[in-house]
C-alpha cells in the first residue's frame, strides 16, 4: 500500500480574491504569497495544502496523494503502467511548484487528474491561522477528504480499491450507490458516489474544536445563501459539520469529531441509510435529490440513531453522572 494520505487539492479558478476571502476569513487557513496567478494556503506544518491557480482552465482540479518515499512512488508508477494507465513523470519544475521532492500524474476513470508525490516540504515557520481557531486536524491524516461524483462507480471502485489500494470503510447500495474509502485512520479520504456527471462535490476539512465549527457556522450565517446544508452529524463517519458554497462548483464541509478506523479490527459494511443523525438539511437537495425523510433520523422505536462523540485526550472534560437511571444504563452497557 503506497498511498498514505490526501496531501493537497489544486483548484483552477479565476475568482482568486473570492477564494482567498473564504479560505482565510471563513475557514481560518493561512495565506502564503506565491505571486502571479497562484495562491496557496496552509493548514498545518506543510508549506501548502490548498492551491488556487488562475491560469488553468476553470474546473481543472487536481488531487495530490502522498506516498512514503521515492521507491514507493516508483512502485506505484510501475503498477499503474502495468495496468495500462498512462503515467507522466513530472519535471522538477512542477514538483518545485507543488513543494514536493518527486511527482507523477495520471487520470482516474472519470478523467480526474491525480498526482502522487513524496517529500512534501515543511514550512520554516509555525502555522498561523488567519482567524482564531484551534487548528486543522491534518498532519499524517492528510488535509481532509473529498467526495467525487462519478458516472461509472464500478470502474472508479476498481481503480481506487484494486489498483491504488484504497480500503473500503463502508458503502451504500440503495437508494444511492456510494463507497467511502480510507488510506489511513481517517474514516475516508475519498468518497465515490454514482451520479449522472463526473464532478467534485465537496472538500471536507476537520477542526480540533467543535467551537471552531460553530463559530464558522455563525460567520457563514452572515450570508445565508452560502450555506448548502445546516449543521448536522453524519451517521457513518460521525462528523459534526455544515456545508458551504465556494466560488467554484463544489462545496466545503467544515467539521469536527470524525471517527477513525483501525484496519486490524475494522470490517467494511453496508450502511442502511446515508441520512444524518440530525441536521444537514439541504445536503441532498443541493445536488438535485430529495433529503431523507426526518423519520429516518428519529425512528426511535425501531433503531438507534446516535453514537458516542469522538474525542481526543485533552479535548474534553469528563463530568460526573447525577442520575441513577443514567448511571445504571451506562453500567449495563459496560457489561
Amino acid at each position: 500500500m503506497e498511498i498514505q494520505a490526501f496531501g493537497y487539492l489544486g483548484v483552477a479558478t479565476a475568482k482568486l480574491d473570492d477564494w482567498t476571502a473564504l479560505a482565510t476569513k471563513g475557514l481560518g487557513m493561512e495565506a502564503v504569497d506565491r505571486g502571479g496567478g497562484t495562491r496557496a494556503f496552509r493548514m498545518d506544518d506543510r508549506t501548502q495544502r490548498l492551491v488556487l491557480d488562475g491560469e488553468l482552465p476553470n474546473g481543472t482540479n487536481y488531487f495530490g496523494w502522498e506516498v512514503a518515499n521515492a521507491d514507493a512512488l516508483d512502485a506505484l508508477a510501475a503498477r499503474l503502467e502495468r495496468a495500462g494507465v498512462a503515467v507522466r513523470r513530472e519535471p522538477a519544475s512542477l514538483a518545485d511548484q507543488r513543494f514536493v521532492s518527486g511527482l507523477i500524474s495520471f487520470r482516474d476513470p472519470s478523467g480526474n487528474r491525480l498526482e502522487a508525490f513524496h517529500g512534501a516540504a515543511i514550512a520554516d515557520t509555525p502555522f498561523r491561522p488567519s482567524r482564531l481557531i484551534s487548528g486543522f486536524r491534518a498532519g499524517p491524516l492528510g488535509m481532509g477528504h473529498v467526495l467525487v461524483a462519478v458516472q461509472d462507480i464500478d470502474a472508479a471502485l476498481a481503480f481506487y480499491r484494486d489498483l491504488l489500494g484504497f480500503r473500503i470503510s463502508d458503502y451504500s447500495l440503495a437508494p444511492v450507490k456510494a463507497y467511502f474509502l480510507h488510506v489511513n485512520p481517517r474514516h475516508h479520504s475519498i468518497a465515490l458516489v454514482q451520479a449522472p456527471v463526473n464532478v467534485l462535490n465537496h472538500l471536507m476539512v476537520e477542526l480540533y474544536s467543535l467551537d471552531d465549527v460553530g463559530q464558522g457556522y455563525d460567520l457563514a450565517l452572515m450570508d445565508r445563501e452560502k450555506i448548502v446544508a445546516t449543521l448536522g452529524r453524519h451517521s457513518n463517519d460521525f462528523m459534526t459539520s455544515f456545508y458551504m458554497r465556494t466560488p467554484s462548483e463544489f462545496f466545503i464541509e467544515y467539521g469536527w469529531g470524525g471517527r477513525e478506523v483501525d484496519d486490524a479490527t475494522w470490517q467494511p459494511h453496508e450502511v442502511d441509510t446515508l441520512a444524518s443523525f440530525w441536521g444537514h438539511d439541504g445536503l441532498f437537495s443541493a445536488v438535485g435529490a430529495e433529503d431523507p425523510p426526518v423519520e429516518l433520523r428519529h425512528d426511535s422505536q425501531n433503531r438507534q440513531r446516535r453514537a458516542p462523540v469522538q474525542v481526543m485526550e485533552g479535548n474534553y472534560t469528563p463530568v460526573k453522572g447525577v442520575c441513577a437511571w443514567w448511571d445504571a444504563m451506562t453500567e449495563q452497557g459496560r457489561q
Side-chain angles (χ1 to χ4, degrees), residues 122-139:
I122 303 300
D124 295 331
T125 58
F127 169 63
R128 297 180 61 185
S130 56
R131 69 174 180 84
L132 190 59
I133 59 172
S134 58
F136 294 95
R137 191 166 181 240

Side-chain angles (χ1 to χ4, degrees), residues 241-299:
S241 62
F242 71 96
Y243 291 72
M244 69 183 95
R245 302 185 189 280
T246 72
S248 297
E249 298 299 317
F250 64 91
F251 310 137
I252 291 284
E253 179 185 4
Y254 203 62
W256 169 86
R259 75 193 300 186
E260 293 187 351
V261 298
D262 182 351
D263 282 318
T265 57
W266 187 268
Q267 292 295 322
H269 60 280
E270 182 179 357
V271 296
D272 60 356
T273 179
L274 293 178
S276 296
F277 288 142
W278 52 270
H280 286 149
D281 296 319
L283 182 58
F284 287 81
S285 59
V287 292
E290 292 186 5
D291 283 330
V294 172
E295 57 266 24
L296 285 181
R297 309 178 201 172
H298 305 293
D299 187 7

Side-chain angles (χ1 to χ4, degrees), residues 204-209 213 239-242 253-258:
M204 186 285 300
V205 293
E206 184 176 4
L207 286 297
Y208 275 115
S209 171
V213 175
M239 191 75 71
T240 298
S241 62
F242 71 96
E253 179 185 4
Y254 203 62
W256 169 86

Side-chain angles (χ1 to χ4, degrees), residues 18 78 110 156 161 191 196 222 224 235 245-246 285:
D18 292 341
S110 301
R161 179 191 60 186
M222 296 174 67
R224 184 62 179 80
S235 58
R245 302 185 189 280
T246 72
S285 59

Side-chain angles (χ1 to χ4, degrees), residues 80-110:
L80 289 166
E81 289 173 333
R82 287 195 299 270
V85 177
V87 176
R88 175 179 170 83
R89 272 76 171 177
E90 296 293 352
S93 57
L94 185 59
D96 289 344
Q97 292 179 30
R98 303 287 194 262
F99 288 86
V100 300
S101 298
L103 184 71
I104 64 172
S105 65
F106 49 98
R107 301 273 176 179
D108 71 7
S110 301

Side-chain angles (χ1 to χ4, degrees), residues 194-242:
Q194 190 164 30
V197 295
N198 298 315
V199 66
L200 171 62
N201 175 269
H202 73 259
L203 163 72
M204 186 285 300
V205 293
E206 184 176 4
L207 286 297
Y208 275 115
S209 171
L210 177 59
D211 288 336
D212 292 337
V213 175
Q215 290 160 7
Y217 193 56
D218 282 348
L219 290 172
L221 282 171
M222 296 174 67
D223 185 354
R224 184 62 179 80
E225 292 301 314
K226 289 184 179 179
I227 295 179
V228 175
T230 60
L231 194 67
R233 191 178 187 217
H234 283 300
S235 58
N236 68 334
D237 71 350
F238 300 164
M239 191 75 71
T240 298
S241 62
F242 71 96

